[in-house]
Amino acid sequence: MKTKVFKTLVRVAWVETDAAHVVHFSNYFRYFERVEEEFYRHLGFNFSSAASRGLWFPRVETLCQYRRPARFNDLLEVELIVEEVREKSVKYGFRIFSEGSATLLAEGYMILVAASVQTGKATGIPKDFVEKLKPYSKQFL
Amino acid sequence: MKTKVFKTLVRVAWVETDAAHVVHFSNYFRYFERVEEEFYRHLGFNFSSAASRGLWFPRVETLCQYRRPARFNDLLEVELIVEEVREKSVKYGFRIFSEGSATLLAEGYMILVAASVQTGKATGIPKDFVEKLKPYSKQFL
Amino acid sequence: MKTKVFKTLVRVAWVETDAAHVVHFSNYFRYFERVEEEFYRHLGFNFSSAASRGLWFPRVETLCQYRRPARFNDLLEVELIVEEVREKSVKYGFRIFSEGSATLLAEGYMILVAASVQTGKATGIPKDFVEKLKPYSKQFL
Amino acid sequence: MKTKVFKTLVRVAWVETDAAHVVHFSNYFRYFERVEEEFYRHLGFNFSSAASRGLWFPRVETLCQYRRPARFNDLLEVELIVEEVREKSVKYGFRIFSEGSATLLAEGYMILVAASVQTGKATGIPKDFVEKLKPYSKQFL
């Protein structure tokens, strides 16, 4: 079975550039989160309902490797795959391309845990969420 | 009695610049808020204790006029005065100078209301807060 | 002749919210700029070609009035009209609605001047740009 | 010889928080850059003079691990060490503590290359810069 990739388009805004005329490196993490948010909307996964069950999803680690700079007005294709689903954590992989080209601009990952709002402790990822992630998952542990 | 001015220094960060090699115009509002936050710390005014009394302070209007651009590494002097205190609202005035010079880079204002977290409705500004604002106030209505 | 309104949709990202669970007030200015950027793309107006003619468009004044808070995941309709075109400056007006409703969340304006990159001085707005703005203009002076 | 650590203090601003009442994960990278900028000022290293020699320092990789959340008004101690200096690249290590405590909030690293503005290609790090980094370096290759 082939792993599904989820994609969204992001247009580079002026405010995201810096005085080197390129997108500031910290903003790639915001692009990662942008596709993650679109992904949840696509899955019909509801943060508010998770919060009402006392859950939130803090990040524990994130990395980005920069290949080529993105610039103002560029249209970016941001890809997400589910690298790994564990009992209490999820790892997403990201790649950013110049739209309509095979030129990789940046890639990286992000690891999230499910945590109790009450205690702050890591907890099991909700089963319904895990089910929704499956088609996009490379590896299931 | 002379009106007191509250000042803080802000160093321009790289991420605050844009591809025009100047500070992005939206960041001046963040500098305004930075001096406001320093001001509350200086007054010993405690947001958490306000929140525990069910209050918050949404902005209702803000304006900035830009005179000369600020650039990376510039040290800015950000000034706050209390323009006006009303029953339910406060108006702060701001001016941003190049540190150690009389060159005005930007100026503006911000109007806040006290509001109930519960109902969302505007409410009276706490008396203890009004007392603390007095020495910095141009006008008392 | 009726004034045309230019619109774009903006989805509120998590990073744009603050600890009051609402969009940070400074981000509305970034939404203003987002629709402005879309507007230029729609008009076929090219910043790079303006820059190559030695022009840039610094902001000289901007204001926002906040009516109701926007929150994470909200879909916003951001409207731009050309309030006024002068020899060396343009004033845009903005309104932000909750998508598909008549609920006004915020409104404001922004004044830009055309300036020479070389001298920093205000200069005439390019004729071809003025022509493109006309259908969206309330007032021509 | 003991490796020197360079430190700076950062006060968490309201705008840096998100609707989870904690600092947004992307802002830790901006804190990393903040201490890096202070470090250069401390070293007397001048970006403008580097730029005038046709050099810039794009990031090629950065990572952050999040241990405990930082919140509004927290005073953070941000530490930088020089992990590694290579011919064309530098790796900085970062740790963020709650000020006056031994509680680690986050840690990470950033790898930069020296590059020619003209060609975009990696190039040797200037000798005078390498000399300045030495006292803060764990490893010299």
Side-chain angles (χ1 to χ4, degrees):
Chain A
M1 204 185 88
K2 231 175 129 270
T3 306
K4 285 169 76 178
V5 174
F6 182 81
K7 296 180 191 187
T8 198
L9 292 175
V10 171
R11 175 74 70 174
V12 174
W14 183 256
V15 69
E16 293 161 357
T17 62
D18 63 29
H21 292 251
V22 299
V23 171
H24 189 264
F25 79 98
S26 65
N27 289 325
Y28 291 80
F29 294 100
R30 300 181 173 193
Y31 298 155
F32 289 176
E33 195 174 57
R34 191 106 55 103
V35 69
E36 187 194 345
E37 290 167 5
E38 281 293 344
F39 181 56
Y40 295 151
R41 275 189 291 272
H42 176 76
L43 293 183
F45 178 67
N46 196 325
F47 263 112
S48 311
S49 101
S52 72
R53 284 185 279 174
L55 280 185
W56 71 304
F57 298 90
R59 284 84 176 83
V60 292
E61 185 173 315
T62 186
L63 171 140
C64 186
Q65 292 173 322
Y66 306 91
R67 307 294 186 204
R68 282 158 169 278
R71 294 172 204 279
F72 174 58
N73 244 338
D74 285 357
L75 189 57
L76 308 179
E77 201 168 283
V78 189
E79 290 188 359
L80 174 153
I81 58 162
V82 181
E83 290 271 3
E84 200 178 290
V85 182
R86 289 177 174 272
E87 195 207 333
K88 301 177 178 177
S89 69
V90 179
K91 181 180 181 181
Y92 295 120
F94 302 95
R95 295 196 301 174
I96 300 181
F97 293 91
S98 218
E99 198 269 329
S101 91
T103 309
L104 182 65
L105 302 181
E107 61 185 323
Y109 66 77
M110 205 182 289
I111 304 171
L112 284 67
V113 292
S116 158
V117 172
Q118 217 65 14
T119 65
K121 291 216 194 288
T123 182
I125 297 175
K127 291 282 165 283
D128 57 332
F129 184 44
V130 173
E131 283 308 309
K132 290 182 175 191
L133 292 180
K134 273 188 178 165
Y136 299 88
S137 299
K138 277 169 80 174
Q139 220 179 325
F140 245 77
L141 302 178
Chain B
M1 203 186 85
K2 222 167 136 282
T3 307
K4 285 170 76 179
V5 175
F6 183 81
K7 296 180 190 188
T8 198
L9 292 175
V10 172
R11 175 73 71 174
V12 174
W14 183 257
V15 69
E16 293 160 359
T17 63
D18 63 30
H21 291 251
V22 299
V23 170
H24 190 264
F25 78 98
S26 66
N27 288 324
Y28 291 80
F29 294 100
R30 299 181 173 194
Y31 298 155
F32 289 175
E33 195 174 57
R34 191 103 60 100
V35 69
E36 187 195 345
E37 291 167 4
E38 281 293 344
F39 181 55
Y40 295 151
R41 275 190 291 273
H42 176 75
L43 294 182
F45 178 66
N46 196 325
F47 262 112
S48 310
S49 100
S52 72
R53 284 185 278 175
L55 279 184
W56 72 305
F57 299 90
R59 284 82 176 86
V60 293
E61 183 174 313
T62 186
L63 171 140
C64 186
Q65 292 173 321
Y66 306 90
R67 307 294 186 203
R68 281 158 169 278
R71 294 171 204 279
F72 174 58
N73 244 339
D74 284 357
L75 190 57
L76 309 179
E77 200 167 285
V78 188
E79 291 188 359
L80 173 154
I81 57 162
V82 181
E83 290 271 4
E84 200 179 289
V85 181
R86 289 177 174 271
E87 195 207 335
K88 299 176 178 179
S89 69
V90 180
K91 181 180 182 181
Y92 295 120
F94 302 95
R95 295 195 302 174
I96 300 181
F97 293 91
S98 217
E99 198 268 330
S101 92
T103 310
L104 182 65
L105 303 181
E107 61 185 323
Y109 65 78
M110 206 183 289
I111 304 170
L112 283 67
V113 291
S116 158
V117 172
Q118 217 65 12
T119 64
K121 292 216 193 288
T123 183
I125 297 175
K127 291 282 163 286
D128 56 334
F129 184 45
V130 173
E131 283 309 308
K132 289 181 176 191
L133 293 180
K134 273 187 178 166
Y136 299 89
S137 298
K138 277 169 80 174
Q139 223 179 323
F140 245 78
L141 303 179
Chain C
M1 202 185 85
K2 223 168 135 277
T3 307
K4 285 170 76 177
V5 174
F6 183 80
K7 296 180 190 187
T8 197
L9 291 174
V10 171
R11 176 74 71 173
V12 174
W14 183 257
V15 69
E16 293 160 358
T17 63
D18 62 30
H21 292 250
V22 299
V23 170
H24 189 265
F25 78 97
S26 65
N27 289 325
Y28 291 80
F29 294 101
R30 298 181 174 193
Y31 298 155
F32 289 176
E33 195 174 58
R34 193 105 56 100
V35 70
E36 187 195 345
E37 290 167 5
E38 281 293 344
F39 181 57
Y40 295 151
R41 275 189 291 272
H42 176 76
L43 294 183
F45 179 67
N46 195 323
F47 262 112
S48 311
S49 101
S52 73
R53 284 186 278 174
L55 280 185
W56 71 304
F57 298 90
R59 285 79 176 87
V60 292
E61 184 174 312
T62 185
L63 170 139
C64 186
Q65 292 172 322
Y66 306 90
R67 307 292 186 204
R68 285 158 167 277
R71 294 173 203 279
F72 173 58
N73 244 339
D74 285 357
L75 190 57
L76 309 178
E77 200 168 283
V78 188
E79 290 187 0
L80 174 154
I81 57 163
V82 180
E83 290 271 3
E84 200 178 289
V85 181
R86 288 178 176 273
E87 195 206 335
K88 299 177 179 178
S89 69
V90 180
K91 182 180 182 181
Y92 295 120
F94 302 95
R95 294 195 302 173
I96 300 180
F97 293 91
S98 219
E99 197 269 328
S101 90
T103 309
L104 182 65
L105 302 181
E107 60 187 322
Y109 65 77
M110 206 183 288
I111 304 171
L112 284 68
V113 291
S116 158
V117 172
Q118 217 65 12
T119 66
K121 292 215 193 291
T123 183
I125 297 175
K127 290 284 163 285
D128 56 334
F129 184 43
V130 173
E131 283 308 308
K132 289 179 175 193
L133 292 180
K134 273 186 178 167
Y136 299 88
S137 298
K138 277 169 80 172
Q139 223 181 323
F140 246 78
L141 304 177
Chain D
M1 203 185 89
K2 230 174 129 275
T3 307
K4 285 170 78 178
V5 174
F6 183 80
K7 297 180 191 188
T8 198
L9 291 174
V10 171
R11 176 74 70 174
V12 174
W14 183 256
V15 68
E16 293 160 0
T17 63
D18 63 29
H21 293 250
V22 299
V23 170
H24 189 265
F25 78 98
S26 65
N27 289 324
Y28 291 80
F29 294 100
R30 298 181 173 193
Y31 298 155
F32 289 175
E33 194 173 60
R34 192 106 56 103
V35 69
E36 186 195 345
E37 289 167 4
E38 281 293 344
F39 181 56
Y40 295 150
R41 276 189 290 272
H42 176 76
L43 294 183
F45 178 66
N46 196 323
F47 262 114
S48 311
S49 101
S52 73
R53 283 185 281 173
L55 279 185
W56 72 304
F57 298 90
R59 285 81 176 82
V60 292
E61 183 173 315
T62 186
L63 171 140
C64 186
Q65 291 172 323
Y66 306 91
R67 306 294 186 202
R68 286 160 164 275
R71 293 172 204 281
F72 174 59
N73 244 338
D74 284 357
L75 190 57
L76 308 179
E77 201 168 284
V78 188
E79 291 186 0
L80 173 154
I81 57 163
V82 180
E83 291 271 3
E84 201 178 289
V85 181
R86 288 177 175 272
E87 196 207 335
K88 299 177 178 177
S89 68
V90 179
K91 181 181 182 181
Y92 295 119
F94 302 95
R95 295 196 302 175
I96 301 181
F97 293 92
S98 216
E99 198 268 330
S101 91
T103 310
L104 182 65
L105 302 181
E107 60 186 324
Y109 66 78
M110 206 182 288
I111 304 170
L112 284 68
V113 291
S116 158
V117 172
Q118 216 65 14
T119 66
K121 293 216 192 288
T123 182
I125 297 175
K127 291 283 163 285
D128 56 333
F129 184 44
V130 172
E131 282 309 308
K132 290 181 175 191
L133 293 179
K134 273 186 179 168
Y136 299 88
S137 299
K138 277 168 81 174
Q139 222 181 322
F140 246 77
L141 304 177

